[in-house]
Amino acid sequence: NDLQCVEVSEFDQTVVSCCKSLDSLNAALIFWDLKNFKVNYKVELHKTTVLDLKFGVDFLVSVGKDRCIGLWKKDSEKYNPVFSSTGHLKLIYSVAVGFNSSSDYFCTGSRDKSIKLWKVNRKDGLPFDFSLSLDIKTTFSCTAIEFIDESTIMAGDEEGHMTIYSLSSDFLSCQEIKEKIAFHFEHGKRVNKIRRCSNSQSDTIKIATCSEDHSVKILTFKRG
């Protein structure tokens, strides 16, 4: 079926993709072998289309139309789901995983007009489930989300607006940054993706956004 999403792990060079589906068989995550460019293995979890995927250092998170959030852990050979739960009242558009001090957190954006921050719980140093840390109510459906830095997230919505939230040090509360992104840097229609440049050496942070208004925009933020 039509390709829906693809993600690459910068930690172990794993490539995973998903396609549009009406059943669990075709909603399986497909893991690719980069040596021969063929399917390595497939694993089922979601009941229908997976909409977004994101790797952490030693785990993978998947979200989709079935409102399910899946946590995946890699054993010696492959990724397998270790925990899943219904995370929102409506379909989940996007997921983002933190890094450095927030590496055990991920956030999700949904059609139910909320952003949720989740903590990955560990046992013997390995991820085994997740729990809700923060629930942020939004005016519009959150269609895209990304960590800008360890404690700051950017969200895009169905109307093309982009909002920045600063998380507290304990990740239990947040504050919306009132300095709005200039109107001409926002989008005219739904924001589909927000992605951060992974270059950690620069004194600036670059964010790429794309939208149903047929535009891609690059935003540059000063650190701090």
Side-chain angles (χ1 to χ4, degrees), residues 99 101-102 147-153 165-169 171:
F99 51 96
S101 62
S102 59
F147 275 85
I148 296 179
D149 62 22
E150 294 91 334
S151 60
T152 312
I153 57 176
Y165 300 91
S166 178
L167 302 171
S168 62
S169 58
F171 300 101

Side-chain angles (χ1 to χ4, degrees), residues 32-49:
W32 296 86
D33 186 339
L34 293 183
K35 295 180 180 179
N36 57 25
F37 303 105
K38 294 182 179 180
V39 173
N40 193 1
Y41 58 92
K42 299 180 182 181
V43 184
E44 296 179 29
L45 174 64
H46 292 268
K47 297 178 181 179
T48 184
T49 305

Side-chain angles (χ1 to χ4, degrees), residues 56-59 71-74 82 103-104 119-129:
V57 175
D58 58 355
F59 61 88
L71 177 66
W72 304 67
K73 180 178 68 176
K74 187 178 183 180
V82 291
S103 61
D104 277 343
K119 184 181 188 302
V120 175
N121 301 309
R122 293 177 175 273
K123 186 175 183 180
D124 298 326
L126 299 175
F128 69 91
D129 72 1

Side-chain angles (χ1 to χ4, degrees), residues 14 21 31-32 55 65-66 79 91 114-116 131 141 145 152-153 171-172 176 178 181 186 201 208 214 224:
T14 298
S21 173
F31 294 84
W32 296 86
F55 283 97
K65 286 187 175 182
D66 59 0
Y79 281 89
L91 65 82
S114 74
I115 297 167
K116 293 186 178 183
S131 55
S141 297
I145 198 161
T152 312
I153 57 176
F171 300 101
L172 296 176
E176 181 180 338
K178 298 301 181 182
I181 297 173
E186 292 193 322
Q201 305 302 317
H214 298 184

Side-chain angles (χ1 to χ4, degrees), residues 2-195:
D2 294 350
L3 181 68
Q4 177 64 43
C5 55
V6 61
E7 190 67 26
V8 182
S9 170
E10 61 180 290
F11 307 105
D12 61 10
Q13 301 302 303
T14 298
V15 178
V16 58
S17 65
C18 290
C19 62
K20 292 182 179 179
S21 173
L22 295 176
D23 56 64
S24 58
L25 177 63
N26 289 303
L29 271 63
I30 304 172
F31 294 84
W32 296 86
D33 186 339
L34 293 183
K35 295 180 180 179
N36 57 25
F37 303 105
K38 294 182 179 180
V39 173
N40 193 1
Y41 58 92
K42 299 180 182 181
V43 184
E44 296 179 29
L45 174 64
H46 292 268
K47 297 178 181 179
T48 184
T49 305
V50 174
L51 294 177
D52 202 10
L53 304 157
K54 188 59 72 71
F55 283 97
V57 175
D58 58 355
F59 61 88
L60 169 69
V61 183
S62 59
V63 298
K65 286 187 175 182
D66 59 0
R67 302 174 289 125
C68 173
I69 303 172
L71 177 66
W72 304 67
K73 180 178 68 176
K74 187 178 183 180
D75 58 23
S76 58
E77 296 183 354
K78 66 180 186 177
Y79 281 89
N80 285 301
V82 291
F83 184 74
S84 65
S85 176
T86 299
H88 288 264
L89 298 177
K90 296 184 179 180
L91 65 82
I92 307 171
Y93 284 112
S94 185
V95 61
V97 174
F99 51 96
N100 295 340
S101 62
S102 59
S103 61
D104 277 343
Y105 289 84
F106 65 90
C107 52
T108 53
S110 169
R111 181 181 279 177
D112 67 6
K113 299 180 181 180
S114 74
I115 297 167
K116 293 186 178 183
L117 182 70
W118 308 85
K119 184 181 188 302
V120 175
N121 301 309
R122 293 177 175 273
K123 186 175 183 180
D124 298 326
L126 299 175
F128 69 91
D129 72 1
F130 53 82
S131 55
L132 183 64
S133 178
L134 179 62
D135 189 351
I136 306 169
K137 302 304 180 184
T138 60
T139 304
F140 302 100
S141 297
C142 178
T143 55
I145 198 161
E146 178 67 300
F147 275 85
I148 296 179
D149 62 22
E150 294 91 334
S151 60
T152 312
I153 57 176
M154 175 186 283
D157 65 37
E158 60 187 342
E159 296 294 315
H161 307 304
M162 292 184 285
T163 308
I164 300 174
Y165 300 91
S166 178
L167 302 171
S168 62
S169 58
D170 58 7
F171 300 101
L172 296 176
S173 63
C174 75
Q175 180 180 2
E176 181 180 338
I177 297 179
K178 298 301 181 182
E179 291 79 6
K180 296 290 186 180
I181 297 173
F183 175 76
H184 58 277
F185 281 126
E186 292 193 322
H187 289 281
K189 293 184 178 181
R190 189 178 89 170
V191 182
N192 287 327
K193 289 288 182 182
I194 302 174
R195 285 292 182 262

